[in-house]
Amino acid sequence: PVGPMEMILPRGKRVFEVWPLLEGRNRFFCRGLCITGPKEDVRFNMCTWLCILVPSVFYFVFCARDIAASIHWLLPASTALLFVVTLVLLLLTSCTDPGVLPRRHVQQMLGIEGDIQASIGYECPRAQPGEPAPVLSPEQRKLGYKWCETCLVVRPPRATHCADCNSCVLRY
């Protein structure tokens, strides 16, 4: 499957290959299959994993056998299924691409402005650093389009600038 960024990059290029140009703080692993937050997120991720794994290990080591013997075997089995679903969803949430919008100068440098405009459904006004922000029409504002002062791009509805990764993302 192709992620949001692969749709708007030049042919043959993937996000992890041009990421230094995007000025984001995210990190890529497994040749771009896994995207995570900045290095500061490691502590939070470790805390989250420990809060899930430690109680689960205690449950399965000390309680599951007794519960299966005294109540019913389906209770520990359903707990194990819920545990696996939790781990899979946590991995998907923390390691998938939210749809990073490249900054204006990166779009111009790579020649992908037209592709990005087609993917967000709006023609972006021209602006350079130091210039005033382009004026969006009331209809565009009503639809949810906003101007990002940091990235110099028009953010489509539901998109926002993420302070952690220092990029605009399509789905926050």
Side-chain angles (χ1 to χ4, degrees):
V2 177
M5 279 298 292
E6 281 78 10
M7 294 186 307
I8 57 179
L9 288 175
R11 297 232 190 287
K13 293 286 185 186
R14 299 217 28 230
V15 177
F16 73 95
E17 295 172 325
V18 296
W19 191 250
L21 302 173
L22 299 178
E23 298 178 13
R25 293 193 295 250
N26 291 13
R27 296 174 300 144
F28 289 86
F29 302 100
C30 302
R31 295 193 39 85
L33 292 176
C34 177
I35 178 174
T36 63
K39 290 181 182 179
E40 296 86 23
D41 282 355
V42 170
R43 292 188 318 255
F44 300 114
N45 283 330
M46 292 301 291
C47 181
T48 302
W49 281 100
L50 287 174
C51 287
I52 293 172
L53 292 175
V54 169
S56 298
V57 167
F58 277 112
Y59 171 79
F60 289 114
V61 169
F62 297 112
C63 302
R65 221 174 292 141
D66 294 336
I67 291 173
S70 63
I71 299 176
H72 200 277
W73 66 270
L74 279 176
L75 191 57
S78 61
T79 306
L81 177 65
L82 184 61
F83 175 69
V84 169
V85 168
T86 301
L87 293 183
V88 168
L89 292 177
L90 179 60
L91 278 172
L92 288 173
T93 301
S94 63
C95 297
T96 54
D97 180 8
V100 178
L101 288 172
R103 294 173 183 251
R104 168 73 61 207
H105 70 278
V106 175
Q107 293 177 22
Q108 292 170 339
M109 184 176 17
L110 295 174
I112 57 175
E113 288 179 291
D115 295 333
I116 291 177
Q117 291 172 9
S119 70
I120 66 171
Y122 172 70
E123 185 172 339
C124 301
R126 307 275 183 231
Q128 299 299 326
E131 291 181 7
V135 178
L136 300 175
S137 71
E139 179 184 317
Q140 293 161 340
R141 289 191 182 277
K142 183 179 176 185
L143 291 173
Y145 290 94
K146 296 178 184 166
W147 179 253
C148 179
E149 293 287 337
T150 306
C151 299
L152 300 176
V153 296
V154 174
R155 294 189 312 242
R158 291 189 60 205
T160 189
H161 187 85
C162 176
D164 290 332
C165 67
N166 196 28
S167 300
C168 284
V169 292
L170 291 174
R171 296 178 304 254
Y172 194 72

